[in-house]
Amino acid sequence: MQKIGLFSQYDPDALILNTRKEVQDQVGQWPEEYLSSEKLGEHVDALKQRHEMFLPDIDFANGRAVMTERIYPLSVYQPGSKPDVKVRVNVLIYKYPFKAQTYLLGCRPRVPVPDCEGEWYADQINQEIYLEYPQYDKRPKKTIIAHHNYIAQLQPCYVALQEEARRFNAELNSMIEEAVQQRRSDIDHRKRLLSMLN
């Protein structure tokens, strides 16, 4: 399991810039025969498939609640207590199945992101993300109410990020087209230089 910062780790604009650079670098390495009319389509499609963004399909309103026991340092619950003292506590976990690229869930949408009292984890093997509430034992009812409020505020973030992904995928065609034109221009320039040398 890997801890994740849901909707708070990456700037989508930085991700787009990075992808644009990757596309330019990859097309810049293409041999000239890739640019022939019969081969260009398949190489463009392959490049597009590699870089398209698809947000994991997650239904935040229908998480599966599970109670489990964990061992935590007592200092998590009683600040100032000895760090080597451990306690066994009940932890409330909400599990959400997903399919697709989890790293996209770390992108910041262009809407306010609510604060979370729990901690998010991604389990790639079981294709689930988890929301754990280690403080559940201290205030069970408040934790459940806070969770329901948080999930209601989370849905607009997810919708906004889906819109970002759609916008990016729409821009991807022109991004690839620009890179192809640049590659063609570079090849033509090189040919002109070689012909001047002969």
Side-chain angles (χ1 to χ4, degrees):
M1 252 182 353
Q2 170 192 358
K3 193 171 181 179
I4 58 171
L6 193 76
F7 303 142
S8 62
Q9 283 179 287
Y10 315 113
D11 177 6
D13 292 336
L15 200 60
I16 289 168
L17 278 172
N18 190 40
T19 303
R20 183 182 296 277
K21 184 175 178 350
E22 279 182 37
V23 165
Q24 287 169 342
D25 290 347
Q26 287 169 11
V27 173
Q29 302 294 318
W30 283 3
E32 191 174 343
E33 58 267 20
Y34 279 26
L35 302 173
S36 66
S37 55
E38 62 272 2
K39 289 192 174 184
L40 183 61
E42 82 179 67
H43 292 294
V44 165
D45 288 345
L47 191 63
K48 190 175 175 185
Q49 274 186 331
R50 237 186 344 267
H51 291 288
E52 274 184 316
M53 291 185 185
F54 294 104
L55 227 58
D57 191 21
I58 297 175
D59 182 3
F60 285 108
N62 291 306
R64 183 169 52 97
V66 177
M67 193 69 69
T68 189
E69 281 190 341
R70 292 266 163 78
I71 295 173
Y72 279 99
L74 182 60
S75 58
V76 170
Y77 297 93
Q78 296 174 0
S81 58
K82 292 181 181 175
D84 55 338
V85 177
K86 309 279 188 207
V87 288
R88 186 181 299 273
V89 296
N90 287 316
V91 175
L92 177 62
I93 301 174
Y94 286 91
K95 296 185 173 192
Y96 302 90
F98 72 85
K99 283 185 171 48
Q101 305 151 315
T102 52
Y103 79 92
L104 291 176
L105 291 173
C107 285
R108 272 189 303 278
R110 297 183 197 283
V111 295
V113 178
D115 291 330
C116 181
E117 292 184 17
E119 295 174 344
W120 283 100
Y121 295 90
D123 180 352
Q124 302 288 352
I125 295 165
N126 295 314
Q127 294 279 282
E128 290 182 313
I129 58 172
Y130 301 170
L131 177 53
E132 292 193 4
Y133 290 100
Q135 302 282 347
Y136 174 76
D137 264 356
K138 282 175 78 175
R139 43 184 198 274
K141 284 184 181 174
K142 281 187 177 178
T143 300
I144 291 170
I145 290 167
H147 172 75
H148 289 299
N149 290 338
Y150 170 68
I151 290 301
Q153 294 171 31
L154 205 60
Q155 200 59 36
C157 297
Y158 181 67
V159 170
L161 211 50
Q162 280 181 316
E163 187 53 42
E164 289 283 332
R166 274 193 291 274
R167 192 174 12 253
F168 171 81
N169 290 339
E171 290 174 15
L172 191 55
N173 282 334
S174 63
M175 215 181 274
I176 294 171
E177 199 176 299
E178 281 173 29
V180 167
Q181 292 304 326
Q182 183 61 50
R183 180 66 180 143
R184 281 188 169 133
S185 172
D186 292 346
I187 289 170
D188 289 346
H189 181 65
R190 193 183 68 219
K191 282 180 178 174
R192 278 195 304 276
L193 283 175
L194 286 171
S195 68
M196 286 165 52
L197 292 172
N198 291 339

